[in-house]
Amino acid sequence: MHPNPAFRRDERALHEALIDQVGFGMVFLTTPDGPRVAHTPLVSTGDGAVQFHLARANALTRHLPGATALAVVNGPDAYVSSRWYDDPNKVPTWNYVAIELEGPVRQMEEEGLVGLLETLSSRHEGRIATGGEPWTMDKLTPQAMRAQLRGIVGFEMEVMAWRETIKLSQNQPADERERVAAALEAEGSLGVAELMRTLP
């Protein structure tokens, strides 16, 4: 993560909100076959753990139980042009929000996996504004449900380390920070602009 302490916010509620809002991340592990990464939906349990699932055939699946892994969730990001600063000696940079989660991983029982899938579908279906009634898992036949469950494995990571970078031009004067936020908003980077204005 970024070494500048100005870009640190050791606030669990903020970390949890990022995981909830983004809902997707990467899980990294060094395996006997070399370094591997999987891209997966993530759910925070709210008590210091995150849950995810992978295809049974994924290159990480057989190595994760009992291993210590690294998960990364990336929030909004945007290029910051030097033209938005008063000082001509400032260089371009990148504003971004990211969190790293590190901890031991255990394989979930089928009951826990079903609970994870219900949470995922309920949460994300609830965010869809158009297109009919939300999809629920009870729409699957028992045979289709069994087939789906055979193809995936659920995991839970007990998060022992939370490392964040909340890089939103905090190292710049307030007027320049607002100018950058306005420029990013005009360029369509609404997420970064909003965070620059709402997070002190």
Side-chain angles (χ1 to χ4, degrees):
M1 304 308 284
H2 200 288
N4 188 337
F7 305 138
R8 298 271 185 271
R9 288 188 59 130
D10 187 16
E11 297 176 26
R12 183 65 62 85
L14 182 61
H15 302 164
E16 300 276 359
L18 178 64
I19 295 168
D20 178 60
Q21 287 299 309
V22 175
F24 197 79
M26 296 162 283
V27 177
F28 298 85
L29 185 68
T30 299
T31 76
D33 304 321
R36 296 289 182 267
V37 62
H39 300 79
T40 180
L42 291 166
V43 170
S44 173
T45 63
D47 61 0
V50 291
Q51 296 177 340
F52 58 96
H53 69 283
L54 301 177
R56 191 169 295 280
N58 188 289
L60 276 184
T61 299
R62 65 189 171 102
H63 299 293
L64 276 170
T68 296
L70 177 71
V72 176
V73 177
N74 288 314
D77 68 273
Y79 173 78
V80 176
S81 173
S82 295
R83 72 177 88 173
W84 301 331
Y85 296 126
D86 281 337
D87 184 347
N89 292 313
K90 289 187 178 175
V91 297
T93 189
W94 212 278
N95 276 0
Y96 65 98
V97 176
I99 184 169
E100 292 180 1
L101 315 167
E102 182 180 339
V105 178
R106 69 168 185 87
Q107 185 170 327
M108 297 168 65
E109 299 294 334
E110 184 174 290
E111 181 181 348
L113 173 59
V114 171
L116 167 62
L117 298 175
E118 288 172 341
T119 297
L120 279 169
S121 60
S122 174
R123 180 172 297 169
H124 295 288
E125 285 288 325
R127 293 175 175 169
I128 297 174
T130 59
E133 291 295 313
W135 181 87
T136 57
M137 289 177 57
D138 61 7
K139 302 228 185 327
L140 295 173
T141 65
Q143 298 86 349
M145 181 66 160
R146 283 194 297 274
Q148 292 297 322
L149 291 175
R150 280 195 301 270
I152 60 176
V153 179
F155 297 100
E156 182 171 279
M157 173 193 287
E158 180 186 0
V159 182
M160 305 302 288
W162 303 73
R163 293 184 293 268
E164 73 288 336
T165 297
I166 313 292
K167 185 176 180 295
L168 299 169
S169 300
Q170 301 97 312
N171 57 337
Q172 302 302 327
D175 61 328
E176 289 207 337
R177 191 172 186 207
E178 174 52 36
R179 191 166 50 253
V180 169
L184 289 173
E185 187 174 52
E187 291 294 318
S189 296
L190 304 182
V192 174
E194 180 182 356
L195 288 174
M196 288 179 69
R197 290 173 170 143
T198 57
L199 291 179

